[in-house]
Amino acid sequence: MTNSSSSPLHWMIPVGAAFMAGVATTILLQSAKKNDRENAGAVLEGNDLSLFYGNKEELCEVTKERKFLPKEVYGSLVRDSVVCCVDILLVRRGKGGKKEALLVERSTEPAKGLWWLPGGRLLKGETFFVAAVRKAKEETGLTQVKPIQVLGVWNTFFPYSHWDTETSKGTQTVNAMVLVELISDSKELRLDATSENSKWIGLDPKDNELEDKYVRQTLLRLRAWDPTYIRYR
């Protein structure tokens, strides 16, 4: 009589199960990678996409003149040139450790009335990360923040701007989307004049299908970079 423990079936069954599990895992990974390519765009953590051709300290100097452009100069810039901006996906841990992102309701053009990401013009001399920290402070009053990575870049076109004239309307902005984490929420949220209201939303794009397309694209980039980030970490 043959001992059942030495039967080929004894080891073939678990081996076959392991093989099928491996095939299923491979298929899932290939599907995830395909979806990632569709929404990919995030760079490695800590990389703010800056290249310096010269002395970094001198090149990164932000003068008072660069911060506050004359109204006629800035108005012409908005109407007749492309404005480079940095928008932030500001993430905190809410109740139960769930991660949430801040949206603000814009009070001025462009995108007036839309729930949008905090952000604005990149100043000459700023890196994307430096601008992200500044915009967090200026537009939300939150200073204990850490820039993590650039999620992507979008080229946006608007029919109206705050600087429209009778003969020239609209603006075009190139926006770097930066993931920023709130380290401490000890300070109260304080909006500036560009926003009317604020709200915190979950990070899963599937739960935010009614949000603005720009917000959704940012969340999709975040999920493509790390699907586990949108839950807990």
Side-chain angles (χ1 to χ4, degrees):
M1 175 179 281
T2 302
N3 192 323
S4 61
S5 63
S6 62
S7 171
L9 291 176
H10 180 76
W11 57 267
M12 287 179 66
I13 292 176
V15 169
F19 173 77
M20 293 304 296
V23 171
T25 300
T26 301
I27 293 174
L28 289 173
L29 287 174
Q30 289 176 343
S31 176
K33 288 180 179 179
K34 182 178 180 181
N35 290 334
D36 283 350
R37 285 197 298 270
E38 181 180 350
N39 298 301
V43 302
L44 294 177
E45 292 183 53
N47 182 1
D48 68 358
L49 298 178
S50 295
L51 297 175
F52 301 99
Y53 291 85
N55 184 282
K56 180 179 178 180
E57 184 176 345
E58 294 178 357
L59 293 172
C60 288
E61 180 183 6
V62 180
T63 63
K64 181 179 179 181
E65 291 75 18
R66 293 173 180 176
K67 290 181 180 179
F68 305 103
L69 298 177
K71 290 184 177 181
E72 62 275 11
V73 173
Y74 189 60
S76 178
L77 173 69
V78 170
R79 292 188 298 270
D80 302 322
S81 301
V82 178
V83 182
C84 184
C85 297
V86 171
D87 292 332
I88 60 174
L89 185 69
L90 181 59
V91 175
R92 72 170 185 182
R93 285 191 179 273
K95 294 181 179 179
K98 182 181 179 180
K99 291 178 180 175
E100 302 172 321
L102 177 68
L103 297 185
V104 294
E105 184 181 10
R106 288 190 54 83
S107 60
T108 61
E109 297 290 359
K112 182 178 180 180
L114 293 181
W115 286 98
W116 199 259
L117 303 179
R121 181 171 67 96
L122 177 72
L123 303 180
K124 184 179 180 182
E126 285 186 320
T127 65
F128 290 152
F129 281 5
V130 169
V133 172
R134 175 177 62 82
K135 294 311 295 183
K137 179 181 179 180
E138 291 178 353
E139 298 201 5
T140 71
L142 301 174
T143 58
Q144 298 299 310
V145 299
K146 178 183 178 182
I148 304 299
Q149 68 181 147
V150 179
L151 293 173
V153 178
W154 283 98
N155 187 13
T156 54
F157 300 78
F158 301 95
Y160 305 106
S161 82
H162 183 67
W163 302 92
D164 286 350
T165 66
E166 290 296 326
T167 58
S168 182
K169 299 182 184 299
T171 188
Q172 179 180 348
T173 63
V174 173
N175 315 309
M177 305 174 296
V178 178
L179 172 63
V180 176
E181 291 182 346
L182 183 61
I183 301 173
S184 171
D185 59 357
S186 57
K187 284 195 173 184
E188 185 177 350
L189 186 67
R190 187 185 71 252
L191 302 179
D192 70 357
T194 63
S195 303
E196 293 184 12
N197 298 296
S198 66
K199 66 178 180 180
W200 295 89
I201 64 170
L203 301 184
D204 195 334
K206 292 185 297 184
D207 298 331
N208 294 288
E209 294 183 355
L210 298 181
E211 296 298 345
D212 180 79
K213 54 188 174 184
Y214 179 54
V215 173
R216 280 187 46 76
Q217 286 297 330
T218 306
L219 296 178
L220 287 169
R221 292 291 180 92
L222 180 63
R223 186 181 66 181
W225 162 63
D226 184 356
T228 66
Y229 185 92
I230 67 175
R231 297 189 293 272
Y232 297 89
R233 195 177 185 184

